[in-house]
Amino acid sequence: MQLTEDEILNQIVLNENAYFYSNPDEVNLSRALITNLFKTISTGRIGNYLLRVVNKEIVINEQSFNYSICIFRYTAIPSILEEHLENWEEIKLAYILIVDFKDYIMMVRRNVAKLREFLEKFDPIDYKVLSILYVDEDTQIEKLNMQNMNVSDRAMRQKSLESLNLKQNLSPLGASNYVVNNMRVKNDEEKTSLSFNTSRINKLGKKCSIKETIRWGFSQVEKLRAHSDRETFLSIFSESIEFKEHKHNLMPIAILFVFSKLYEDLEQNVIHETRIVLEDGSQRTIDLIKHISKVETLLQVINNDEVGLNTYDILNPYAKDLKIKINEKSISISSQKLRNIVLFKDNGRMQKLIDYINVSNQFIVNFDNCELIYTNRKLFKDNRLLGNIDNFIKIFRPDPRLENASSEKGIFTAAASNFSAGSVFNIVEDIFLPYSDYVVCDDLGKEWADHISISGNKIKFIHSKYKEVNFSASAFQDIVGQALKNLGNLMPQDFQLASKQNFWSSNYNNDGIQTQIARLRKGNSVADFTEKFKNTILEPNHQREVCLVLNFISKSNLEIKLQQLRDAEYFIERNEIIQILWFISSFINSCKEAGVDSVYIYCKP
């Protein structure tokens, strides 16, 4: 006996887990609009719709609303197959529920694609609104997943923290450099998970009927309507601002692609294959990681000092047509080359790489307004960046010897026992040798630093860089990246120190020239240095310091440029100085998070 539509609806149970969007333009969810949407998303379905209901009336708390639901089956090639085999198809179920609350819409969905055009009619719930919706003085914050706004490609990209109540044990230090992606909270005995970058609210618990799910959704909408701006615990994190109010004044200067989610989906086999698919139908399987690794660094944006353009070219070694697009409500990336790369997913769906990057917002954009940064489909403002300039300057230590630096390492001969006079390496040893008990040159190979110094209970990692161009943002990015990727080596395990013994006991070899420069630059023996290293990190009050030594920044000139930046003055090196400022902030905050006690940058006076 065939069930009626109402009987089927009464059988359906859903989690109280939905996406919410505001409808500021009061878009009419007409029968035609919903019908066309269902037709679009169900392309490739097999058989008839299992259920298709459009604009059915429902009464919640004596108020009338319309909801629509669509459920269908489709086939997918199993991930264990490279090509389609007859009778090997997997049958999967897809569904979508849309509730029209007039000023807001609610959506519950699974295995549904091709929603982008429909969702562009609405606005995701504002980050600031969603972040305070479930947080008050009594709320227990159990879990936070955060994304770093740090533009260094070597920085820690994401952090996930969990405890009974993070309010009690999360330090606010460096929190303004992070954006909260996801959060789980507990209010009384109710636990709720919120995803700020997808506008999703998930009440953890049992499944409910459609009517109960819509009733729960209506209660969320009432909360959204009643919200008011206020300070909460989450105010320590970066502040989101209205994109549309600033879009005409934005001039991007750099972009960093962050493929954390992509790697996660590859690890979990959500994405099981990648192909290049051309318009003529020809296709071939590719190694996706090799392709995306070519753009995993901070890339410069060609802006020609023009504000408010719709598109800007991205300088990169991979795709000549890679561009930033400034849209009405967001920023996206465009490239036909990336559009030809197609991801095959475990749910049987396919997605173009460029769409995947834009939907999951796998990038961070810097602007000529150094306080602004774009990530997670939101524009954020770091109010502390310009305000911290005076403190940032304090880590710079001018040294006149760097004014005469002529190379990074100098010229090598078989008879050389020291680095060439005038080289940055030679200057480093002039600075640090007199005040150190031990110094080792760890340059080349799997280096932890160019030099490692131990004096008393302090371990120093020293990184050096020479560049002929003043205020080189790319050179500063390189040396900061080198320092950040080795922070963990300030606390090495015994086997790591043991693996370095032979290397540290050798003489310096550069491009096949075996010199007489001993890698142990000061100290009785490498064995003594290693033992001192082991004993020092065991001391409870030992100190860790990271030093950068470079010749392409002058402290006095940098102070002038940063003051001009703070005063909103135009100057030629403005873009480079903005990036250097972000790298300074990244360097300091990453070191502090890693437990480094002090950081210094030795430069020209």
Side-chain angles (χ1 to χ4, degrees), residues 247-253 301-313 324 326 366-369 570 574-575:
K247 70 177 290 285
H248 296 296
N249 298 316
L250 296 177
M251 184 172 75
I253 61 173
V301 175
I302 302 173
N303 55 45
N304 298 319
D305 293 329
E306 293 186 80
V307 178
L309 298 182
N310 291 327
T311 61
Y312 295 87
D313 291 330
I324 286 178
I326 310 293
N366 275 140
F367 304 96
D368 69 322
N369 181 340
Y570 175 81
R574 180 181 172 84
N575 289 353

Side-chain angles (χ1 to χ4, degrees), residues 569-580:
E569 295 180 19
Y570 175 81
F571 54 95
I572 294 174
E573 306 94 340
R574 180 181 172 84
N575 289 353
E576 287 75 16
I577 296 300
I578 289 172
Q579 291 178 59
I580 287 173

Side-chain angles (χ1 to χ4, degrees), residues 133-199:
L133 202 64
Y134 275 84
V135 179
D136 59 30
E137 292 180 358
D138 299 320
T139 301
Q140 292 177 235
I141 298 179
E142 296 184 335
K143 187 174 183 179
L144 289 173
N145 178 274
M146 305 176 293
Q147 179 176 315
N148 200 341
M149 294 198 305
N150 192 323
V151 291
S152 171
D153 55 0
R154 299 292 184 178
M156 185 184 297
R157 293 264 53 93
Q158 291 185 332
K159 286 201 304 186
S160 185
L161 305 175
E162 190 168 3
S163 81
L164 287 175
N165 190 359
L166 286 167
K167 284 182 179 180
Q168 298 171 349
N169 46 30
L170 176 63
S171 169
L173 181 66
S176 65
N177 295 291
Y178 281 89
V179 174
V180 178
N181 287 336
N182 304 294
M183 175 175 71
R184 188 179 74 234
V185 300
K186 182 180 179 182
N187 289 295
D188 296 323
E189 295 304 314
E190 185 178 285
K191 294 192 179 189
T192 307
S193 173
L194 300 110
S195 299
F196 300 127
N197 54 347
T198 59
S199 204

